[in-house]
Amino acid sequence: MENSIYDAPMKERSTAGIIKHGFRLLFHNKHILIKHSLFTSLLFAVIFMLLTIVCALCLSHPSWALHAVITASILFILGGLVEVGFYANHIELLSLHLTQGSMQMPKLRFLHFNKRTYWRALKGIFVAVILQMIPCALFIAFAYWKNLFEIDIDGVFPQIVTRFAEHPLTSFLTIVIWGILQLLLIPLYFILMKYLLESNTALWQCVSNNAKIAIEKYGKIFSVILIETLMLLCVSAVTLLPYSIIWIAKIEYLRGCWIADPVVLPGYIDWLHFLLALVCGWCLLASRTIILYIGYYLYGSIEHQRQQQIV
């Protein structure tokens, strides 16, 4: 799809306009996007399926718990690296659309990998994840310090014993503090999109140069993230519903085995579960793509306003 004044990213838009144009760009170029990122998306789906297999084996064979944890950790890291590659493919297309007004590449290959784009995406996403983990780590440390939960390691699997109901005020304040810390990271969305789209900008330079404008546009960034989050939660809930139902059935079956009253499951339940894992893995990754396309128009809207202020 060729760019036009209507589709140009560098234009001031409302929150609804940003989301609308993000979806429009995504769906109007769906064939190019699927082909350009097909390898990484399928590889991620396979890893998600393997992770499901490992968890299912661990559930039915508790003595394999240690090996399952190690294998699952390796698969989780590999899945994360592949997911970054998936995002890097889309970032490359968005950068092309920003500079040339089109996502048509001279050579569109099934197996495509741009080292520079991947490295920048990996670095940016890694920093964002670390910053997101800081409030979570503080929340866990504070909750543990206030005895809101404890970890019981006497059994085969560690169990978390919570006491949030016994200390409602402390629990509420802990959650509020965690929420405030998370809200402070909202401007990072715009800064990260600017870093990913402008390949000549260093990460920390991008943070220092754009922190002020990101804070000034906090309301717009927050509203975009809120709507994105609600949409992704709805899509994830629908996508994972059949997958989760089978997990619940398997857990009930094992619980029935422990009390000598197992639930009867069809013989093809495992194959169906793994097939659903493959499909759900691909759908979940594909749905998260919208974060980049909405963020692309958010970046263009804020950047356009800043250029107007300079002029």
Side-chain angles (χ1 to χ4, degrees):
M1 183 180 70
E2 294 297 325
N3 206 347
S4 65
I5 296 176
Y6 180 74
D7 302 306
M10 293 298 178
K11 181 180 177 181
E12 186 174 352
R13 291 183 171 89
S14 63
T15 299
I18 289 170
I19 294 172
K20 175 184 176 182
H21 281 79
F23 275 102
R24 186 174 188 270
L25 183 64
L26 177 64
F27 288 114
H28 279 217
N29 294 276
K30 56 183 177 297
H31 300 298
I32 297 175
L33 303 178
I34 291 174
K35 185 174 181 181
H36 192 65
S37 58
L38 184 60
F39 177 76
T40 49
S41 59
L42 290 178
L43 184 57
F44 180 87
V46 170
I47 293 174
F48 189 80
M49 182 185 68
L50 293 175
L51 188 60
T52 301
I53 294 174
V54 171
C55 293
L57 290 174
C58 179
L59 192 64
S60 57
H61 300 82
S63 59
W64 297 359
L66 179 60
H67 298 87
V69 169
I70 295 174
T71 306
S73 301
I74 295 173
L75 289 173
F76 186 81
I77 293 172
L78 288 176
L81 294 174
V82 172
E83 185 173 0
V84 172
F86 175 82
Y87 296 145
N89 287 337
H90 287 269
I91 291 165
E92 187 177 8
L93 290 173
L94 287 173
S95 299
L96 193 66
H97 186 268
L98 180 65
T99 56
Q100 300 182 14
S102 172
M103 288 188 171
Q104 295 291 343
M105 298 189 70
K107 293 181 179 180
L108 198 60
R109 301 185 298 272
F110 172 74
L111 180 56
H112 183 83
F113 183 77
N114 187 306
K115 292 181 180 179
R116 176 175 171 77
T117 306
Y118 182 85
W119 169 243
R120 288 178 63 83
L122 180 62
K123 186 164 56 173
I125 293 174
F126 178 77
V127 171
V129 170
I130 292 298
L131 291 176
Q132 287 284 343
M133 289 175 62
I134 291 174
C136 297
L138 292 175
F139 171 78
I140 294 172
F142 185 78
Y144 187 77
W145 177 51
K146 290 295 184 178
N147 295 319
L148 297 180
F149 74 92
E150 66 178 12
I151 302 175
D152 183 10
I153 57 175
D154 293 336
V156 177
F157 295 103
Q159 295 185 0
I160 298 177
V161 180
T162 61
R163 300 192 183 92
F164 289 97
E166 300 174 11
H167 309 279
L169 181 59
T170 305
S171 303
F172 175 74
L173 292 176
T174 304
I175 295 173
V176 168
I177 294 172
W178 171 80
I180 293 173
L181 292 174
Q182 288 287 351
L183 290 174
L184 292 176
L185 299 175
I186 293 292
L188 185 65
Y189 184 31
F190 164 73
I191 296 173
L192 182 60
M193 287 304 304
K194 183 176 176 64
Y195 168 72
L196 294 175
L197 292 168
E198 298 181 4
S199 59
N200 58 342
T201 307
L203 178 58
W204 299 116
Q205 179 186 359
C206 187
V207 173
S208 60
N209 292 345
N210 297 279
K212 182 179 178 181
I213 185 68
I215 294 173
E216 290 176 356
K217 301 300 179 182
Y218 184 93
K220 176 174 284 191
I221 300 172
F222 174 78
S223 60
V224 169
I225 290 178
L226 178 62
I227 295 173
E228 277 183 352
T229 303
L230 293 175
M231 289 190 301
L232 288 175
L233 286 175
C234 292
V235 172
S236 299
V238 173
T239 303
L240 291 174
L241 181 60
Y243 176 78
S244 303
I245 290 174
I246 295 182
W247 267 123
I248 294 172
K250 285 189 172 183
I251 293 173
E252 290 300 320
Y253 170 76
L254 291 175
R255 184 178 299 174
C257 290
W258 294 336
I259 61 175
D261 186 21
V263 178
V264 178
L265 295 176
Y268 57 83
I269 190 71
D270 288 331
W271 292 105
L272 179 61
H273 196 194
F274 302 149
L275 178 61
L276 282 174
L278 188 68
V279 175
C280 289
W282 188 89
C283 291
L284 287 175
L285 185 62
S287 65
R288 289 200 287 266
T289 310
I290 194 59
I291 296 174
L292 295 176
Y293 288 83
I294 293 177
Y296 174 61
Y297 281 100
L298 175 67
Y299 153 79
S301 177
I302 296 177
E303 192 66 19
H304 175 76
Q305 293 177 49
R306 178 164 62 177
Q307 292 174 3
Q308 292 295 322
Q309 292 174 1
I310 295 174
V311 173

